[in-house]
């Protein structure tokens, strides 16, 4: 096996194509950040003004052909001689204006400059002068930082955000040639905080009605009101800051910090309503997080941004658990993160902490990837995804769900599992090499859903009446649907419904949820196309959780080829025999009405697939998706060995097929140390009717790919994929 570095060294001559100039080119009606393709960030520490070598740093970032560079302005620490009271100047600043030096050098190299700010903490002199700026515990005490206790947490509802931060933005905007402002950490897509400062008490009194619970609890009416008030405040602050930063420069932008991958509590659709630029602070993975975590982040952001710019931060440092801020991540892991960023249509933002690194291994990794990107830039200018399968991003279920089988005192760890349904479906789609996009549950407009042949719903248990109606109309209009487990069983806040709101679509009536149990089965009672490959078994592994359902019988053509075999003991072996080998309770219901096909699984086959790894469940999901699509030819098929994730885009010059090679012993536990190249991948790519393709090129390998075209189908074979391949059709 060869590493990416060796691979590059061996083939670098063939990789070099005419490099484009750096600096996002202005396009009419699009702001400068609407066309950027490469961002970088040097995150300064308070001591850096003593030693920072501005020229060598700007040389490095310019060598990455950046469109935009993020550098520390102020907030916690000002890196310039600020006059704003209680805005703490770096104690090592001396007579230097470090931000000013960096700003001038950045602009001299034709890069856009975004001031990186931090609105989340301030020093105790501010605490004494403006006690109303800070978060408070119930006993009135301020909240010091866990590792740097001389800093205190500021409150989003306080004038610190509206007045003090605005004053700092104005000062920087007047003094320096900045093109935008970015805030570290805030607002994030994570949990809400509950604070007891004066401002917050007023909100609780006037808007919420009482102090809200201090963790996610959508069963609590005060939490529900607080959630809305919190989101309103985030959007209000965001809009105010956008107004402030454009006072002097109409094309300036405020960029908040989002991210969270598929695990979001704050509604990303609402955040996207104010975000002109979505930055995902999704810098890497730790523990047993799967490698595709970054591509998932891209899909979530794409589902809410409708083609507007999205960046994703890649930490060049080792942001594992534990974290090491000052040593590099292995190059292969960094490359896979950057590759997922660009494959999913995001813009990479390469990030290092500290101006005096003693580990510089990361530098070449970023430079190699970014210069390759710059050399092939037009092929990364996407117009739209050409996937014809949509996966519903179940925002409220992920944020709030607790199923009937979860303990009432659930906490973060249990909540993290609300994404396991989506994760299982995702993994099945990867293994099945099925091309798909996410659609957000708040974006089910006919013009969005109408682009897709099928909608897949991984246990969207909490769905509003309106969302259900849109899904019903989509199916009535000929769309196909897969849904699992408790989908539509509760309203958007988790209040019980007497039955599935989508029961008419599933042709199912809901009963109780069975407690989680292993050693239950699905019996194959009759043959169906979704059961292909299971001819030699009468039993399939059963889902761990299921709703007891009855077929409504509203559709005489509906079929239930899988029935439930309930749990029986798995130990000791003498006791392992079915007590009720046959039931008439459906484990799945399939119906067909013209082009529209509907598959409903009463169990959590998606989540159980993820937890157990049993491939029968993945196969069942893949078979079902293929059945949903009927005779329609997929926009892209890719046959070959290996676990890959694919994205296919219509681009400005033509089309691009992105293939990420996840085939790696470190696929589900980081870090990737080296790549294991996969062999030939045979592709069929459907292009627009009448479109003649003149050339197919593998951009990572740097070579032309032989192809044939038959009508709208272009066929070609990619000989190998080491880490990532982008096949450009023009
Ligand atoms: Zn507060």
């Amino acid at each position: 096996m060869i590493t990416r570095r060796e691979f590059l060294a061996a083939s670098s001559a063939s990789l070099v194509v005419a490099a484009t100039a750096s600096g996002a080119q202005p396009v009419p009606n699009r702001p400068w950040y609407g066309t950027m393709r490469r961002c970088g960030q040097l995150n300064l520490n308070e001591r850096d003004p003593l030693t920072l070598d501005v020229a060598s740093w700007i040389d490095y970032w310019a060598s990455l052909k950046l469109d935009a560079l993020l550098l520390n302005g102020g907030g916690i620490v000002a890196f310039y001689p600020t006059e704003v009271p209680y805005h703490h100047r770096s104690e090592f600043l001396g007579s230097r204006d470090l931000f000013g030096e960096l700003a001038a050098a950045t602009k001299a190299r034709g890069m856009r400059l975004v001031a990186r700010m931090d609105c989340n903490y301030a020093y105790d002199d501010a605490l004494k002068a403006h006690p109303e700026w800070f978060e408070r515990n119930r006993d009135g005490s301020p909240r010091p930082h866990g590792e740097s206790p001389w800093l205190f947490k500021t409150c989003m509802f306080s004038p610190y955000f509206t007045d003090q931060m605005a004053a700092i933005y104005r000062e920087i905007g007047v003094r320096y040639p900045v093109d935008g402002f970015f805030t570290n950490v805030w607002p994030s897509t994570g949990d809400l905080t509950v604070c007891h400062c004066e401002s917050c008490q007023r909100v609780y009194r006037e808007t919420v009605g009482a102090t809200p619970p201090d963790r996610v609890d959508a069963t609590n009416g005060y939490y529900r009101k607080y959630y809305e008030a919190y989101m309103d405040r985030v959007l209000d602050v965001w809009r105010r800051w956008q107004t402030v930063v454009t006072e002097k420069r109409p094309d300036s932008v405020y960029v908040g910090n989002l991210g969270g991958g598929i695990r979001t509590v704050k509604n990303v659709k609402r955040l996207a309503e104010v975000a002109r630029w979505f930055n995902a602070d999704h810098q890497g993975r730790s523990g047993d997080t799967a490698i595709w975590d970054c591509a998932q982040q891209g899909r979530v952001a794409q589902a809410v941004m409708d083609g507007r710019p999205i960046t994703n931060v890649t930490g060049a440092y080792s942001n594992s658990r534990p974290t090491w801020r000052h040593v590099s991540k292995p190059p292969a892991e960094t490359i896979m993160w950057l590759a997922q960023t660009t494959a999913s249509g995001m813009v990479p933002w390469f990030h290092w902490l500290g101006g005096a690194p003693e580990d510089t291994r990361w530098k070449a990794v970023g430079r190699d990837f970014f210069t390759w990107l710059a050399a092939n830039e037009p092929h990364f200018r996407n117009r739209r995804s050409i996937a014809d399968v949509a996966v519903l991003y179940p925002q409220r279920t992920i944020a709030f769900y607790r199923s009937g089988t979860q303990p009432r005192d659930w906490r973060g760890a249990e909540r993290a599992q609300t994404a396991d349904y989506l994760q299982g479906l995702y993994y099945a789609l990867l293994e099945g090499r099925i091309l798909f996009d996410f659609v957000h549950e708040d974006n089910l407009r006919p013009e969005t859903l109408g682009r897709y042949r099928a909608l897949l719903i991984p246990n969207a248990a909490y769905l509003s009446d309106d969302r259900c109606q849109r899904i019903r109309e989509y199916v009535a209009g000929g769309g196909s649907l897969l849904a699992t487990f408790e989908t539509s069983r509760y309203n958007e806040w988790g209040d019980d419904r007497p039955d599935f709101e989508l029961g008419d679509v599933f042709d199912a009536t809901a009963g109780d949820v069975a407690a989680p149990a292993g050693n239950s089965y699905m019996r194959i009672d009759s043959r169906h196309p979704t059961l292909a490959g299971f001819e030699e078994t009468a039993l399939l592994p059963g889902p761990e959780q299921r709703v007891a359902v009855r077929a409504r019988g509203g559709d005489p053509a509906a079929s239930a080829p899988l029935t439930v075999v309930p749990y029986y003991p798995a130990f000791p072996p003498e006791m392992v025999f079915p007590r009720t080998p046959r039931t008439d309770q459906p484990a799945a219901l399939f119906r067909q009405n013209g082009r529209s096909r509907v598959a409903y699984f009463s169990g959590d086959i998606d989540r159980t697939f993820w937890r157990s790894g049993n491939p029968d469940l993945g196969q069942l999901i893949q078979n079902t998706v293929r059945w949903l699509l009927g005779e329609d030819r997929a926009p892209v098929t890719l046959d070959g060995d290996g676990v890959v994730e694919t994205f296919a885009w219509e681009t400005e010059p033509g089309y691009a097929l992105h293939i990420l090679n996840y085939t790696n012993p470190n696929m589900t536990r980081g870090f990737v140390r080296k790549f294991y190249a996969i062999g030939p991948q045979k592709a069929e790519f459907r292009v627009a009717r009448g479109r003649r393709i003149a050339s197919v090129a593998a951009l990572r390998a740097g070579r032309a790919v032989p192809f044939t075209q038959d009508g709208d189908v272009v066929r070609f074979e990619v000989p190998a994929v080491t880490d990532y391949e982008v096949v450009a059709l023009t």
Side-chain angles (χ1 to χ4, degrees):
M1 294 302 147
I2 58 173
T3 65
R4 177 74 214 156
R5 188 79 67 81
E6 290 158 351
F7 177 73
L8 271 176
S11 61
S12 60
S14 63
L15 278 173
V16 178
V17 187
T20 56
S22 87
Q25 302 302 308
V27 171
N29 304 322
R30 289 179 80 178
W32 69 265
Y33 47 90
T35 54
M36 66 186 167
R37 295 306 319 166
R38 291 168 300 281
C39 296
Q41 181 185 3
L42 173 60
N43 210 340
L44 301 176
N45 62 57
E46 183 161 17
R47 194 176 180 281
D48 276 330
L50 284 181
T51 57
L52 194 86
D53 178 355
V54 170
S56 71
W57 272 110
I58 299 300
D59 277 348
Y60 173 70
W61 292 116
S63 78
L64 269 62
K65 303 185 185 301
L66 294 189
D67 297 312
L69 179 57
L70 289 104
L71 295 165
N72 302 58
I76 297 176
V77 171
F79 290 87
Y80 67 97
T82 179
E83 302 298 333
V84 175
Y86 308 109
H87 186 206
H88 175 92
R89 278 189 211 190
S90 159
E91 64 175 286
F92 303 98
L93 193 62
S95 59
R96 251 185 130 171
D97 177 353
L98 185 58
F99 186 70
E101 291 174 46
L102 285 163
T106 301
K107 301 304 284 191
R109 299 297 285 271
M111 294 181 281
R112 299 283 184 166
L113 171 64
V114 177
R116 179 272 189 202
M117 313 294 292
D118 197 311
C119 52
N120 305 289
Y121 287 90
Y123 279 76
D124 63 351
D125 59 337
L127 177 67
K128 289 197 182 81
H130 288 281
E132 75 282 7
W133 284 353
F134 292 83
E135 282 195 0
R136 302 283 167 171
N137 296 314
R138 206 175 280 272
D139 66 4
S141 56
R143 294 175 169 168
H145 190 278
E147 287 193 73
S148 303
W150 49 91
L151 300 174
F152 296 90
K153 184 84 178 67
T154 54
C155 180
M156 167 186 89
F157 283 95
S158 81
Y160 186 82
F161 273 57
T162 44
D163 300 351
Q164 176 73 352
M165 286 307 299
I168 297 171
Y169 296 144
R170 286 195 177 98
E171 182 180 68
I172 291 176
V174 166
R175 287 195 198 175
Y176 304 105
V178 292
D179 300 284
F181 290 84
F182 161 70
T183 50
N184 182 45
V185 177
W186 193 86
S188 94
T189 59
D191 215 343
L192 318 182
T193 50
V194 173
C195 157
H196 303 274
C197 78
E198 282 172 32
S199 304
C200 287
Q201 285 182 29
R202 196 175 321 118
V203 171
Y204 301 156
R205 213 166 40 238
E206 294 172 6
T207 310
V208 179
T211 303
D214 61 6
R215 60 172 196 262
V216 175
D217 182 4
T219 64
N220 182 313
Y222 299 122
Y223 179 86
R224 296 177 183 184
K225 283 189 180 161
Y226 184 53
Y227 183 87
E228 300 297 356
Y230 198 100
M231 289 300 302
D232 288 346
R233 175 68 177 183
V234 166
L235 302 192
D236 177 48
V237 168
W238 194 307
R239 287 194 188 98
R240 284 169 186 248
W241 288 356
Q242 175 64 30
T243 302
V244 169
V245 306
T246 50
E247 281 170 3
K248 188 160 169 291
R249 290 272 310 268
D251 66 340
S252 185
V253 61
Y254 164 70
V255 192
N257 202 19
L258 303 173
I262 59 172
R263 294 170 192 85
T264 62
V265 175
K266 299 189 190 95
N267 186 322
V268 284
K269 179 68 169 68
R270 287 201 69 195
L271 292 165
E273 285 163 17
V274 293
R276 296 176 182 214
W277 161 355
F278 185 117
N279 179 51
D281 189 4
H282 202 63
Q283 301 196 36
R285 62 174 176 150
S286 60
D288 55 5
T289 302
I291 183 66
W292 52 80
D293 213 56
C294 180
Q296 286 184 329
Q297 173 67 74
R299 294 180 186 279
V300 172
Q302 297 289 358
V304 295
M305 286 300 278
D306 289 329
R308 288 169 296 147
I310 304 162
T311 47
N312 187 79
V313 184
T314 293
Y317 59 92
S318 185
N319 58 323
S320 43
R321 223 171 24 237
T323 282
W324 292 277
R325 294 286 219 176
H326 282 162
V327 293
S328 304
K329 218 178 244 178
E333 179 80 14
T334 303
I335 289 166
M336 282 313 293
W337 214 255
L338 292 168
Q340 290 176 64
T341 304
T342 53
S344 62
M346 300 190 288
V347 171
W349 159 333
F350 194 50
H351 177 209
W352 180 258
L353 261 95
E358 296 187 78
D359 180 347
T360 58
R361 292 172 291 178
W362 55 278
K363 283 190 168 181
V365 181
R367 189 191 295 121
D368 290 349
F369 193 88
F370 275 50
T371 50
W372 169 77
L373 209 53
N376 296 287
E377 177 166 325
H379 302 291
F380 293 89
R381 296 195 177 282
N382 301 328
R383 291 191 195 280
R384 62 181 190 100
S385 160
I386 62 168
D388 66 345
V389 171
V391 170
L392 184 117
Y393 181 66
Q395 173 75 69
R396 301 181 78 93
T397 306
I398 284 181
F400 305 135
Y401 182 52
R402 44 179 149 187
S403 77
T405 62
Q406 265 172 329
R408 303 306 282 179
D409 64 341
W410 72 318
R411 287 170 190 276
E414 286 77 24
R415 195 181 70 241
Q417 293 174 13
T418 61
D420 281 359
Y421 307 88
L422 174 56
Q423 190 72 279
L425 175 63
Y426 200 98
Y427 187 35
L429 295 175
L430 293 194
E431 287 199 331
R433 296 184 163 207
I434 293 161
L435 201 61
F436 62 98
D437 295 328
F438 280 179
V439 294
H440 192 279
E441 72 182 35
D442 293 346
N443 194 17
L444 301 180
R445 300 170 301 170
E447 56 269 38
T448 304
L449 278 184
R451 297 200 290 262
Y452 301 100
R453 183 70 190 85
L455 174 65
L456 317 181
I457 307 184
N459 188 37
Y462 290 15
L463 268 184
S464 72
D465 288 354
D466 170 72
R467 307 296 178 268
C468 292
Q469 181 56 23
R470 284 169 185 253
I471 293 164
R472 185 177 290 112
E473 286 164 6
Y474 170 72
V475 172
S480 290
L481 181 76
L482 178 153
T484 65
F485 193 37
E486 293 203 278
T487 292
S488 82
R489 182 72 195 269
Y490 310 91
N491 76 4
E492 66 272 29
W493 288 110
D495 292 337
D496 264 316
R497 288 189 172 116
D499 198 349
F500 299 118
E501 178 64 21
L502 288 171
D504 57 324
V505 177
F506 305 158
D507 197 39
T509 292
D512 292 340
V513 176
N519 208 47
S520 76
Y521 298 84
M522 294 186 281
R523 175 174 298 284
I524 299 175
D525 276 333
S526 56
R527 289 292 147 192
H528 188 270
T530 56
L531 302 171
F534 300 128
E535 289 76 14
E536 300 301 317
T537 178
L539 292 180
L540 292 177
E544 215 177 1
Q545 307 178 93
R546 63 186 162 79
V547 185
V549 302
R550 281 185 295 107
R552 289 191 179 186
D555 181 354
S559 65
L562 289 169
T563 51
V564 171
V565 178
Y567 157 84
Y568 48 89
F571 300 96
E574 291 84 342
M575 296 299 119
V576 185
F577 59 92
R579 307 308 196 267
T580 314
R582 286 179 187 280
T583 67
D584 59 2
Q585 197 183 112
L589 285 160
F590 301 115
R591 34 189 318 218
Q592 189 172 346
N593 181 12
R595 277 184 92 229
S596 168
R597 298 179 177 194
V598 175
Y600 167 70
F601 287 89
S602 62
D604 61 348
I605 57 167
D606 33 24
R607 171 181 164 279
T608 305
F609 173 51
W610 181 242
R611 283 165 60 85
S612 69
N614 188 307
D616 289 351
L617 294 169
Q619 180 70 48
L620 181 60
I621 293 171
Q622 292 154 24
N623 286 350
T624 303
V625 174
R626 296 211 167 87
W627 175 73
L628 294 180
L629 300 174
E631 305 308 313
D632 293 10
R633 195 200 284 264
V636 179
T637 59
L638 187 71
D639 292 323
D641 280 339
V643 182
V644 300
E645 181 158 16
T646 55
F647 290 85
W649 300 96
E650 186 186 317
T651 61
E652 288 182 8
Y655 298 90
L657 172 62
H658 295 246
I659 307 168
L660 295 153
N661 177 16
Y662 296 152
T663 316
N664 202 294
N666 299 103
M667 181 176 80
T668 53
R669 184 170 179 85
F671 286 141
V672 169
R673 294 118 164 88
K674 57 196 269 186
F675 299 116
Y676 298 81
I678 50 174
Q681 306 289 315
K682 257 190 163 74
E684 283 192 11
F685 198 113
R686 251 172 60 206
V687 298
R689 210 171 295 268
R691 173 82 190 238
R692 289 311 298 177
I693 294 300
S695 139
V696 176
L699 304 180
R700 204 86 174 119
R703 57 182 161 237
V705 175
F707 70 98
T708 60
Q709 183 166 3
D710 178 10
D712 58 358
V713 179
V714 179
R715 293 188 178 83
F716 54 89
E717 185 176 287
V718 182
V721 179
T722 302
D723 50 5
Y724 170 41
E725 190 51 273
V726 182
V727 185
L729 290 71
T730 54

